[in-house]
Amino acid sequence: MGDEVRATDRPVRHRREEALPLSYAQQGMWFLERLAGTTLYADPMTFRLVGELDTTALHDSIEELVRRHEALRTRFPVVDGQPVQQVTQDATVPLPLTDLTALAPTEREAEAARFLDADLRQPFDLVHGPVIRAALIRLAPREHIIRITTHHLVSDAWSWWSVLFRELERLYTARLHGLPSPLPPVTTHYADFVRWQREWLEGPVYPGQLAYWRQTLAGVTPLPELTLARPTAGRAQEPPVTRWLTFPQPLYDRLREISRREHVTLYMLLLTAFKQVLRRYVPGDDILVATRGGFRSRAEFERAVGFFVNVLPLRTRVPQATDFRRLLHDVRRTMLGVYAHRDVPYERLMAELGLKRRGFRSVTNVCVSFQSTPEVPPALEGLDVTLINHPDPFSGYDIDLGFYEEDGALRALLTHRRAQYDDAAAARLLDDLHGALLAATHELDGPRARSPFPEKQKFPEKQTKEDV
């Protein structure tokens, strides 16, 4: 089972004992959970492991991740009525094993699914911590399921897929061979970002960025309720549900080709089509949606773990009958402007513009995102590792549409609140989106298939889909 010298025997480097403020994004999430009275923003990652698993090496590797990254050792006590974050020295992460090998093979998967569902609903104690937990399920001697869950206050997609899982690969290999950690020390932590954000908001750039948003969102109102199927009695209080759509490969290939030719990102093309769909079900042409962007525009935050997600309002005029190409380039201009001013925290922006609303209701009630962070499972030596998908636990939006490019395919995940729209409404939106994209390809492949923009154009990278 590997060397008995555990990584946790080495001393923990601890830099901060003082109480630190939350970032603006953390504040918004914390207050929503406080209002709900339960954990809404769990962030689970689940993988099936087939092969010879060294549980000691895996356990030690997880605890080494926690020791390396202060965000994973953070708790959120309340001081003078306000939440603060404090980094602790404790890097202990229990890895309880649930052994299902005594069950009949047909029963193991069902029992594992019940276990994972119950684990997903287990609340976090933010005041005392920890903000990370792990669990291991044994289905057979050479088949396991690992679930690692953090609270979203301390993680995002980039943290998982580009930082933690890449480090886990190297740590697990080192432990298998009895070697020390091969990773260099972490030099930048989430607290450094919080400090930078506070200083930036007091600096000379912020007033100009705020002025942009004040002009862009002048007179804005929430998107009206869509004229779609309403919830039926008895189902309105059910939790949000999800629905997947995989686009046909020929359509996906054509969309990528058109995006290159029009000098837009694939996301701009997809968002334009969805805005067209939304326009069919509202009385006016002022279409406001949210998208998720990242705060990792500075190089020093590339390898930091934490919640670096910002919400960005996207406002576009969508006439009832409009040329798709013209609308596409309107969306393009809008998105370029928004991403150039993406460092203003959404929560601060809403307060500054007087758009802050009580409870879960926001001026943006529909969210559209594009997951461009590659979801590559950790490559653990001697194991075949595959991702087990699960529904997002919570979304604060009536409609939350995420696009994913995975394994050479394009998929859409629609999460909807049954208190607002029923399953027929969700299916209708996805069907309409598919049809709108087909129509767009026919229009853009026509004789005027030529972009008015120059060949070289840089677009923002690392757009991440996160539950906000």
Side-chain angles (χ1 to χ4, degrees):
M1 297 297 291
D3 195 325
E4 291 302 317
V5 178
R6 294 172 55 84
T8 50
D9 293 335
R10 295 195 296 275
V12 174
R13 183 172 66 89
H14 179 60
R15 295 193 301 147
R16 298 180 174 94
E17 293 286 352
E18 74 274 18
L20 301 168
L22 276 61
S23 69
Y24 279 89
Q26 285 179 318
Q27 285 180 2
M29 183 177 290
W30 186 92
F31 280 109
L32 283 180
E33 281 211 343
R34 185 68 170 256
L35 184 66
T38 187
T39 296
L40 299 175
Y41 294 99
D43 192 14
M45 291 289 168
T46 314
F47 298 95
R48 188 179 301 270
L49 313 175
V50 178
E52 195 66 37
L53 173 65
D54 186 326
T55 56
T56 301
L58 179 61
H59 189 191
D60 288 353
S61 300
I62 293 171
E63 290 192 331
E64 178 68 10
L65 292 176
V66 177
R67 183 171 25 263
R68 287 174 53 78
H69 297 283
E70 290 181 356
L72 303 181
R73 292 185 279 112
T74 301
R75 64 188 186 99
F76 297 86
V78 178
V79 177
D80 297 329
Q82 295 296 319
V84 297
Q85 50 187 328
Q86 291 181 322
V87 178
T88 71
Q89 299 185 45
D90 186 10
T92 303
V93 183
L95 185 62
L97 173 65
T98 300
D99 194 333
L100 303 181
T101 56
L103 298 177
T106 55
E107 298 176 4
R108 295 172 190 168
E109 293 291 340
E111 184 59 32
R114 283 190 289 269
F115 177 93
L116 294 174
D117 183 66
D119 176 77
L120 191 61
R121 302 176 193 283
Q122 181 181 339
F124 281 98
D125 181 351
L126 294 178
V127 172
H128 301 99
V131 291
I132 182 171
R133 62 174 180 260
L136 189 65
I137 303 172
R138 179 175 292 148
L139 299 173
R142 290 174 51 84
E143 184 175 3
H144 296 77
I145 292 175
I146 179 69
R147 158 71 63 79
I148 308 174
T149 307
T150 59
H151 195 284
H152 226 323
L153 283 169
V154 300
S155 63
D156 59 17
W158 186 265
S159 297
W160 279 116
W161 298 105
S162 296
V163 182
L164 293 174
F165 290 147
R166 306 291 72 88
E167 292 187 356
L168 182 65
E169 295 171 340
R170 299 180 64 186
L171 290 170
Y172 182 76
T173 298
R175 290 298 298 150
L176 281 180
H177 298 283
L179 300 174
S181 169
L183 300 173
V186 178
T187 58
T188 306
H189 296 272
Y190 192 71
D192 299 306
F193 164 73
V194 175
R195 182 177 295 109
W196 171 84
Q197 185 180 68
R198 299 279 168 167
E199 293 174 353
W200 184 85
L201 290 168
E202 298 298 324
V205 177
Y206 174 65
Q209 295 229 358
L210 180 61
Y212 164 85
W213 285 111
R214 208 178 284 280
Q215 178 180 358
T216 300
L217 298 180
V220 75
T221 57
L223 190 72
E225 292 185 1
L226 307 185
T227 56
L228 282 168
R230 315 303 301 165
T232 55
R235 305 195 74 178
Q237 300 307 314
E238 294 182 14
V241 293
T242 58
R243 181 182 297 268
W244 283 98
L245 169 66
T246 299
F247 294 94
Q249 192 66 38
L251 175 59
Y252 176 37
D253 293 340
R254 291 174 71 189
L255 293 174
R256 288 191 298 176
E257 172 57 32
I258 289 171
S259 298
R260 288 190 292 268
R261 191 175 68 225
E262 296 289 326
H263 309 303
V264 299
T265 64
L266 177 60
Y267 180 35
M268 292 173 183
L269 184 58
L270 296 168
L271 177 62
T272 301
F274 191 60
K275 285 208 168 196
Q276 268 195 335
V277 170
L278 293 175
R279 178 64 181 89
R280 300 174 188 177
Y281 299 106
V282 295
D285 64 358
D286 192 359
I287 307 299
L288 176 71
V289 302
T291 193
R292 297 179 177 95
F295 281 118
R296 296 179 190 268
S297 55
R298 298 176 65 86
E300 61 262 42
F301 303 135
E302 285 281 325
R303 311 308 300 170
V305 169
F307 185 59
F308 287 87
V309 179
N310 195 18
V311 176
L312 303 172
L314 294 173
R315 186 184 191 185
T316 313
R317 295 287 180 179
V318 183
Q320 188 76 28
T322 184
D323 177 87
F324 188 89
R325 177 177 282 103
R326 181 177 301 169
L327 179 60
L328 172 62
H329 291 291
D330 284 347
V331 169
R332 176 187 185 274
R333 282 187 290 270
T334 297
M335 293 186 71
L336 289 175
V338 164
Y339 281 122
H341 300 85
R342 61 180 174 171
D343 283 330
V344 179
Y346 178 78
E347 294 75 15
R348 173 78 173 254
L349 178 63
M350 293 297 102
E352 291 268 24
L353 301 187
L355 296 173
K356 194 171 183 179
R357 309 179 79 196
R358 295 178 60 84
F360 292 96
R361 311 305 296 163
S362 169
V363 70
T364 50
N365 49 29
V366 173
C367 187
V368 189
S369 300
F370 189 92
Q371 171 74 17
S372 59
T373 304
E375 294 189 350
V376 179
L380 303 180
E381 184 175 331
L383 296 167
D384 180 22
V385 183
T386 55
L387 175 67
I388 297 177
N389 281 312
H390 45 75
D392 289 336
F394 176 76
S395 172
Y397 299 94
D398 296 338
I399 296 171
D400 198 336
L401 178 65
F403 293 102
Y404 297 80
E405 285 187 290
E406 299 175 326
D407 301 323
L410 176 65
R411 305 178 75 197
L413 175 64
L414 181 68
T415 302
H416 64 102
R417 294 176 61 245
R418 277 181 166 160
Q420 200 69 24
Y421 302 105
D422 66 12
D423 294 347
R428 178 67 179 272
L429 285 175
L430 289 178
D431 287 345
D432 285 355
L433 175 62
H434 183 205
L437 288 169
L438 282 173
T441 60
H442 290 306
E443 179 179 335
L444 296 175
D445 278 338
R448 296 186 302 128
R450 182 179 178 185
S451 171
F453 292 94
E455 285 293 328
K456 293 185 178 180
Q457 175 69 52
K458 290 186 175 295
F459 299 104
E461 297 179 353
K462 293 193 292 294
Q463 306 160 26
T464 57
K465 189 270 183 192
E466 297 296 340
D467 295 314
V468 178

